[in-house]
């Protein structure tokens, strides 16, 4: 990876049904082996399940789940004089969203259930209600940053 050039971020096109960039981002992370239509099917089925169970707008629930799962601080390893310190750093908004989507998908895959759509719907509803594994992961990340606040002066 080059140290000189800054790579331009490509804009994520919105999805066709909800016209949302966030939905398009989760579809791209669910997708495996280039099967995008299958990934869209999973996400849209999960949204239908959310609509059916809660009666509220699934896009709103999804956005609230991502917002709740987004970390504000994280720790990064920093070597200083032969010792490695876990230095707390603030998370940029695009990285925070990426981490939240990654955790939501990771923990929905590890859930028990029949279909991926059902597991994703359950994880999204739990995250929107401030419960679930992805929220626990965010709290864990925040606790580690809080515990290592003494090393904040090693920030780059």
């Amino acid at each position: 990876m080059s140290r000189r050039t800054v790579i331009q971020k490509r804009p994520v096109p919105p999805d066709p049904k909800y016209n949302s960039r966030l939905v398009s981002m989760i579809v791209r992370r669910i997708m495996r082996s280039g099967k995008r239509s299958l990934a869209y099917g999973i996400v849209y089925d999960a949204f239908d399940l959310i609509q059916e169970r809660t009666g509220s707008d699934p896009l709103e629930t999804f956005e609230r789940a991502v917002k709740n799962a987004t970390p504000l601080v994280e720790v990064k390893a920093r070597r200083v004089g032969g010792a490695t310190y876990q230095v707390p750093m603030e998370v940029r908004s695009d990285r925070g969203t990426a981490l939240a989507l990654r955790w939501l998908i990771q923990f929905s895959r590890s859930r028990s259930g029949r279909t991926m759509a059902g597991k994703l719907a359950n994880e999204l509803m739990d995250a929107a209600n401030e419960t679930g594994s992805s929220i626990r992961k965010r709290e864990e990340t925040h606790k580690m940053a809080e515990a290592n606040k003494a090393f904040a002066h090693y920030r780059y």
Side-chain angles (χ1 to χ4, degrees), residues 14-140:
D15 78 299
K17 190 172 180 181
Y18 293 98
N19 202 30
S20 167
R21 285 185 159 71
L22 208 54
V23 173
S24 192
M25 285 169 73
I26 197 166
V27 164
R28 286 169 181 229
R29 281 168 178 79
I30 284 178
M31 181 173 60
R32 286 186 170 171
S33 304
K35 297 185 182 284
R36 185 168 293 168
S37 59
L38 185 66
Y40 269 117
I42 290 170
V43 172
Y44 291 158
D45 288 349
F47 279 16
D48 291 342
L49 282 170
I50 291 170
Q51 171 77 44
E52 189 180 295
R53 290 181 190 163
T54 62
S56 63
D57 181 33
L59 188 63
E60 199 174 284
T61 305
F62 170 60
E63 286 171 352
R64 193 167 63 242
V66 171
K67 188 171 147 285
N68 289 346
T70 303
L72 302 173
V73 287
E74 67 178 345
V75 290
K76 282 192 175 179
R78 173 98 160 103
R79 277 186 64 85
V80 177
T84 305
Y85 298 107
Q86 296 288 324
V87 181
M89 307 198 76
E90 291 180 16
V91 180
R92 294 187 327 271
S93 63
D94 55 336
R95 173 153 171 82
T97 305
L99 284 171
L101 292 173
R102 186 183 309 163
W103 293 341
L104 285 165
I105 291 165
Q106 174 190 344
F107 291 117
S108 60
R109 280 197 175 119
S110 64
R111 269 179 176 256
S112 62
R114 286 186 64 86
T115 64
M116 181 58 193
K119 296 192 283 189
L120 180 62
N122 288 334
E123 186 65 35
L124 288 176
M125 286 189 292
D126 284 351
N129 295 328
E130 296 268 353
T131 57
S133 302
S134 50
I135 300 297
R136 196 168 63 240
K137 177 78 171 176
R138 185 203 62 191
E139 295 301 325
E140 210 173 273

